[in-house]
Amino acid sequence: HHGFDVDQPGKDSYRHREAGATEVLVASQKRWALMHEHRSGEEPTAAQMMAQMTPVDLLIVEGFKREGHDKIEIHRRETGKPLIYPDDSHVVAVLSDEPLAGCPLPVIDIDDVAAVADFIVAHCGLQARAAAKAL
């Protein structure tokens, strides 16, 4: 979500964007990527980005911390950063490398991949969707 580039300096697609093209499509036999330049300088909202996606059962979004979608906060003691869940009602769980006494949300060990996956599946109702598709 920060400045990043999937394109390579020196390639034609890179030169087209540098010259002012608003959109450039890069394609190969196995994948394609459409790059859209936000010349206005305004970052699109999560909803605007989600509208560009093909429908999926689960969309994992990194960033967009100030928007109103459900969030799983990742807390690492070593960063020293304050928790955001007390001020953000959209945080539904916290992944942490330490116990969080008094946290009213589910706190999941950051290294317990199965527990994280189980929480996401349950929270998003993916079990029910899978069962409905099977019928």
Side-chain angles (χ1 to χ4, degrees), residues 18 22-23 36 41 43 50 54 98 100 103 108 116 120:
E18 289 294 307
T22 300
E23 290 189 330
H36 181 93
E43 183 176 5
M50 289 175 200
T54 301
E98 67 178 337
L100 299 176
C103 180
I108 305 166
V116 173
I120 292 170

Side-chain angles (χ1 to χ4, degrees), residues 65 71-89 91 93-108 110:
K65 291 178 185 171
K71 301 172 188 125
I72 297 176
E73 180 171 1
I74 299 175
H75 171 74
R76 293 184 190 276
R77 176 183 24 210
E78 67 188 33
T79 66
K81 292 182 180 179
L83 289 157
I84 65 171
Y85 82 82
D87 298 318
D88 187 338
S89 63
V91 176
V94 180
L95 307 185
S96 181
D97 59 358
E98 67 178 337
L100 299 176
C103 180
L105 302 172
V107 177
I108 305 166
I110 200 166

Side-chain angles (χ1 to χ4, degrees), residues 26-46:
V26 180
S28 72
Q29 182 180 6
K30 296 187 178 194
R31 72 184 50 91
W32 63 271
L34 176 63
M35 292 169 283
H36 181 93
E37 297 294 318
H38 300 290
R39 305 255 186 240
S40 69
E42 292 183 30
E43 183 176 5
T45 65

Side-chain angles (χ1 to χ4, degrees), residues 58 69-72 90-93 106 108 116-127 129:
L58 176 65
H69 55 271
D70 286 355
K71 301 172 188 125
I72 297 176
H90 298 287
V91 176
V92 297
I108 305 166
V116 173
D118 289 345
F119 175 82
I120 292 170
V121 166
H123 180 77
C124 296
L126 295 174
Q127 293 163 322
R129 288 187 206 165

